[in-house]
Amino acid sequence: GGGAVHLAMKLPALRDLGWDCEAAVGLDGPLGSELTALGFRVHDVDLMERRLSPLRALRLARLTARLAPDIVHLHGTRAAFFHAVGAAVRLPAASARGRRRPPVVYTIHGLAYRKDAGTLRRQVSLVAERVACRGAQAVISVSRTDLSDLERRHFVRTGRGFHIGNPVRIPTVDGAARTAARQRLGLPLESSVVGTVSRLVPQKAVRDLIEAVALIAPSFGSSASAPVLVIVGDGPQRADLEQRVRAGVNGARVLLLGERDDVPQILPAFDVFALSSHWEGEPIALLEAMAAGLPCVATATKGSQEVLGDSTNGCLVAVGDVVAFGDALAGLLRDASAREAMGALARARVQSRTPDAQAALVIDVYRQLLASNTSSP
């Protein structure tokens, strides 16, 4: 997910700027092995099973206490909640030994209470978010909208909240990359290609994207000229999406590629990037598409609105409006000059979002906290 991509870019940048980092992540996913390959020491911490586990909270707090870092930086509500609970339990013992606890930074990659259905689940998410925020001395949000909401609810105290967006690598954009990407996917150069990079979960609403492409396919004439939809990513909805495609998509071709580690090499194959999410914090996939110079069509979630800014940088359509989504895709697929202009503006908008630049902003927060921690009794 986005948090893992964020860390895979941010930790090397922090190291390049002089900070020695170790990571505690679940080893069931690719992030741990990726960070190990990059030369980082990685500790196994499983936070994904059984949400309410006091032992898990204690183990996480014990790990950070044993490592004795200068800064503890937590990513995501789950990690921040468990650490806050575990630290609260361990605080009396630590205080009795006269040990100073390292300051805690919590980065929010999305707010669960924005998506949770039902009053009970939403209230639980709100409580967890409050505990997570109050357990940190500084809260960073990749979304300005999310940070404002937390401050309005008084979960984040005045002066302790910081907006620092996700980093993104800026690739070289040229015709050779497009040709190579089409060859990689076995697609003709003349094909009209819509692409997305997404976890296949309800939040991302990839089925809406399939429906939108199926709606516009007949307007392109023969099946040979119908658009191709490339879906990169995996998740629990994959079988359902494959079944939907088998039911027929009006002559469009849909490729479900699954999880890939060559996304930067695939993106140039797309004529248009699409993001059909029902909610977003700050979508890294959208940032990466913009950095690759792709025109983008996205649902008007708060996160996508923040990233795109206005209609010159990309098309925003109402969440869940499949017809409008299809119309926006068709318009761009038929207008090469509009695609080129929109893609260039989108790329320019994210040029300053390099990993080093965003890591430097995080380091500023670290230094403020270390200075405050040193001067406090």
Side-chain angles (χ1 to χ4, degrees):
V5 174
H6 177 106
L7 280 172
M9 285 189 283
K10 185 66 68 65
L11 290 184
L14 288 170
R15 182 173 58 189
D16 291 344
L17 295 173
W19 289 74
D20 182 20
C21 303
E22 297 185 20
V25 303
L27 299 185
D28 54 332
L31 179 60
S33 57
E34 184 176 352
L35 293 177
T36 298
L38 290 170
F40 292 99
R41 186 182 181 193
V42 176
H43 307 270
D44 182 16
V45 54
D46 175 19
L47 298 179
M48 298 309 291
E49 297 295 333
R50 291 182 304 162
R51 294 190 175 196
L52 297 177
S53 171
L55 286 179
R56 189 162 289 119
L58 287 171
R59 286 170 187 156
L60 181 57
R62 285 171 185 161
L63 174 64
T64 56
R66 176 172 59 82
L67 296 175
D70 296 304
I71 293 279
V72 174
H73 195 153
L74 305 162
H75 288 263
T77 306
R78 193 184 300 257
F81 172 80
F82 278 127
H83 190 271
V85 172
V89 172
R90 290 178 55 85
L91 179 58
S95 299
R97 293 192 297 271
R99 295 180 59 182
R100 187 191 298 271
R101 292 196 301 165
V104 174
V105 181
Y106 164 35
T107 289
I108 297 166
H109 296 278
L111 295 174
Y113 64 75
R114 286 189 178 279
K115 67 179 178 68
D116 281 340
T119 302
L120 179 59
R121 289 191 63 180
R122 187 169 184 275
Q123 289 303 315
V124 170
S125 294
L126 280 165
V127 170
E129 198 62 62
R130 185 180 187 278
V131 170
C133 290
R134 290 301 180 92
Q137 283 70 57
V139 175
I140 296 173
S141 175
V142 299
S143 165
R144 195 182 302 277
T145 300
D146 286 355
L147 180 60
S148 296
D149 193 66
L150 292 168
E151 290 174 334
R152 179 180 62 82
R153 295 176 185 276
H154 304 292
F155 290 5
V156 177
R157 297 183 178 92
T158 302
R160 293 191 177 186
F162 303 85
H163 169 242
I164 302 175
N166 283 308
V168 64
R169 297 187 181 95
I170 311 298
T172 301
V173 175
D174 55 33
R178 182 178 186 274
T179 300
R182 291 288 175 104
Q183 291 174 345
R184 181 181 289 258
L185 299 180
L187 296 175
L189 288 176
E190 64 273 13
S191 295
S192 296
V193 180
V194 176
T196 193
V197 179
S198 174
R199 290 179 295 121
L200 306 184
V201 295
Q203 170 204 347
K204 301 296 185 177
V206 175
R207 187 186 179 103
D208 287 359
L209 177 55
I210 294 174
E211 301 291 353
V213 171
L215 279 176
I216 65 174
S219 69
F220 283 80
S222 67
S223 58
S225 59
V228 178
L229 173 59
V230 178
I231 301 170
V232 182
D234 212 338
Q237 289 194 317
R238 180 167 182 171
D240 291 340
L241 296 177
E242 289 173 336
Q243 183 177 5
R244 171 62 188 89
V245 172
R246 286 194 296 270
V249 284
N250 294 329
R253 183 181 175 191
V254 179
L255 304 179
L256 284 137
L257 301 186
E259 194 74 29
R260 300 282 294 238
D261 59 6
D262 59 348
V263 172
Q265 289 75 43
I266 291 175
L267 285 176
F270 303 165
D271 291 307
V272 180
F273 182 85
L275 190 67
S276 50
S277 305
H278 284 180
W279 72 275
E280 286 285 357
E282 187 186 66
I284 287 182
L286 184 58
L287 289 169
E288 290 178 334
M290 294 168 70
L294 295 177
C296 300
V297 177
T299 44
T301 62
K302 294 294 186 182
S304 293
Q305 289 181 62
E306 281 188 42
V307 169
L308 288 173
D310 58 45
S311 59
T312 61
N313 302 305
C315 293
L316 288 166
V317 299
V319 172
D321 191 335
V322 173
V323 174
F325 208 105
D327 289 343
L329 292 173
L332 283 171
L333 289 176
R334 293 191 173 100
D335 192 339
S337 60
R339 293 199 304 271
E340 183 177 358
M342 184 177 288
L345 288 171
R347 181 174 165 88
R349 183 171 171 82
V350 299
Q351 283 284 344
S352 63
R353 291 276 202 110
T354 64
D356 280 357
Q358 302 308 93
L361 297 175
V362 172
I363 289 170
D364 287 342
V365 176
Y366 290 171
R367 287 176 174 153
Q368 290 182 44
L369 291 183
L370 289 174
S372 175
N373 202 45
T374 301
S375 61
S376 63

